[in-house]
């Protein structure tokens, strides 16, 4: 899995060192969201920041887990900017950014994402559910630089495996170890694992589909 995603649209002169300790497979990216909300913030104490409009699940599951939610507006003509100073003042334990954004399809540029990682004490979570359809490379190439950066991935969109219910969290080993400790046992079934393995071993048809969609 790591070899496949690291080979897709890398930035110039990229160098990233990842291994299995940096990956946790989950029952879709939804389980990844839930694990992060249960693992790190304190209920009735910590704040989750969400630039909006965006995927409603971040707010929904934050409230269910007893967390304060503060939505900040996306800015700019293309809704691809955020007020970094305003977010830093909120001091969120978790910042969720959907990039490319669902449902509006905009992209926050990497310099801004890197600035957020540098400026915040909490975790910056980049949900890349639709990254396969983007011309912008993944933020995972910066995982070695920022220990508070977390990437969410799913096989439900670009890989066409929504019914398989498989996603992944990519992060520093300490984060992955924490999530693994609280994850329900046997979260990803054997049939799901086989389906994901098969598509990763023979991805040419999927790659061709991405090209067609991008050219539409």
């Amino acid at each position: 899995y790591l070899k496949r995603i690291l080979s897709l649209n890398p930035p110039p002169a990229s160098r990233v060192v990842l291994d299995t300790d940096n990956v946790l497979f989950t029952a879709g990216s939804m389980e990844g969201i839930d694990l992060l909300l249960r693992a790190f913030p304190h209920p009735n104490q910590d704040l989750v920041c969400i630039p909006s409009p965006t995927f409603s699940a971040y707010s929904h599951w934050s409230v269910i887990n007893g967390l304060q939610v503060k939505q900040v507006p996306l800015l700019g003509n293309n809704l691809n900017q955020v007020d970094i100073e305003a977010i830093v003042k909120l001091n969120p334990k978790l910042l969720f950014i959907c990039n490319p954004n669902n449902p509006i399809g905009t992209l926050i540029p990497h310099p801004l994402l890197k600035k957020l990682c540098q400026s915040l004490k909490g975790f910056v979570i980049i949900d890349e559910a639709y990254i396969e359809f983007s011309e912008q490379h993944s933020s995972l190439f910066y995982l070695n630089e920022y220990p508070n950066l977390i990437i969410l991935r799913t096989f439900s969109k670009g890989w066409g495996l929504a019914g398989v219910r498989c996603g992944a969290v990519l992060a520093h080993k300490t984060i992955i170890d924490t999530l693994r400790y609280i994850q329900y046992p046997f979260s990803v079934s054997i049939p799901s694992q086989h389906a994901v393995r098969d598509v990763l071993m023979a991805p040419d048809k999927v790659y061709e589909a991405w090209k067609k969609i991008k050219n539409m």
Side-chain angles (χ1 to χ4, degrees):
Y1 175 65
L2 285 170
K3 289 180 180 178
R4 292 296 184 198
I5 61 176
L6 288 172
S7 66
L8 298 175
N9 196 24
S14 64
R15 228 186 130 173
V16 60
V17 179
L18 297 176
D19 59 30
T20 54
D21 289 335
N22 301 113
V23 182
L24 177 68
F25 285 98
T26 57
S29 58
M30 291 299 299
E31 185 190 21
I33 294 169
D34 183 56
L35 286 173
L36 290 165
L37 290 168
R38 289 194 287 119
F40 299 113
H42 292 85
N44 303 311
Q45 179 177 329
D46 286 328
L47 183 140
V48 176
C49 185
I50 305 169
S52 64
T54 194
F55 188 36
S56 61
Y58 310 136
S59 176
H60 175 77
W61 289 105
S62 295
V63 172
I64 287 176
N65 280 281
L67 301 168
Q68 302 176 58
V69 176
K70 178 64 176 179
Q71 298 195 25
V72 297
L74 288 164
L75 306 173
N77 293 334
N78 294 321
L79 297 180
N80 64 348
Q81 302 290 321
V82 294
D83 186 336
I84 294 179
E85 290 186 7
I87 294 175
V88 170
K89 286 181 180 179
L90 291 172
N91 191 30
K93 179 59 70 74
L94 302 177
L95 169 67
F96 281 95
I97 296 178
C98 193
N99 211 44
N101 197 348
N102 171 19
I104 60 177
T106 57
L107 275 165
I108 292 180
H110 283 296
L112 194 153
L113 295 175
K114 294 168 75 172
K115 182 66 174 177
L116 285 166
C117 291
Q118 295 166 1
S119 303
L120 291 174
K121 297 178 181 178
F123 296 101
V124 178
I125 302 161
I126 312 296
D127 186 346
E128 295 186 338
Y130 292 90
I131 193 66
E132 292 86 0
F133 305 115
S134 171
E135 297 299 334
Q136 179 169 285
H137 61 263
S138 170
S139 294
L140 70 89
F141 292 97
Y142 307 119
L143 281 178
N144 293 148
E145 295 181 47
Y146 305 110
N148 61 336
L149 176 61
I150 300 170
I151 310 296
L152 294 175
R153 287 295 193 90
T154 181
F155 288 92
S156 295
K157 309 302 190 297
W159 294 93
L161 296 175
V164 167
R165 303 311 305 141
C166 184
V169 181
L170 299 118
H172 189 274
K173 179 183 183 300
T174 303
I175 296 172
I176 296 299
D177 287 344
T178 302
L179 300 181
R180 200 186 307 278
Y181 185 77
I182 66 171
Q183 184 181 34
Y184 292 124
F186 318 115
S187 178
V188 182
S189 69
I190 292 297
S192 293
Q193 294 177 41
H194 288 174
V196 169
R197 177 201 61 192
D198 291 346
V199 75
L200 288 174
M201 294 300 292
D204 290 344
K205 289 184 178 180
V206 175
Y207 291 172
E208 187 62 31
W210 296 350
K211 292 179 183 178
K212 290 181 180 179
I213 291 171
K214 289 180 179 182
N215 292 329
M216 290 178 65

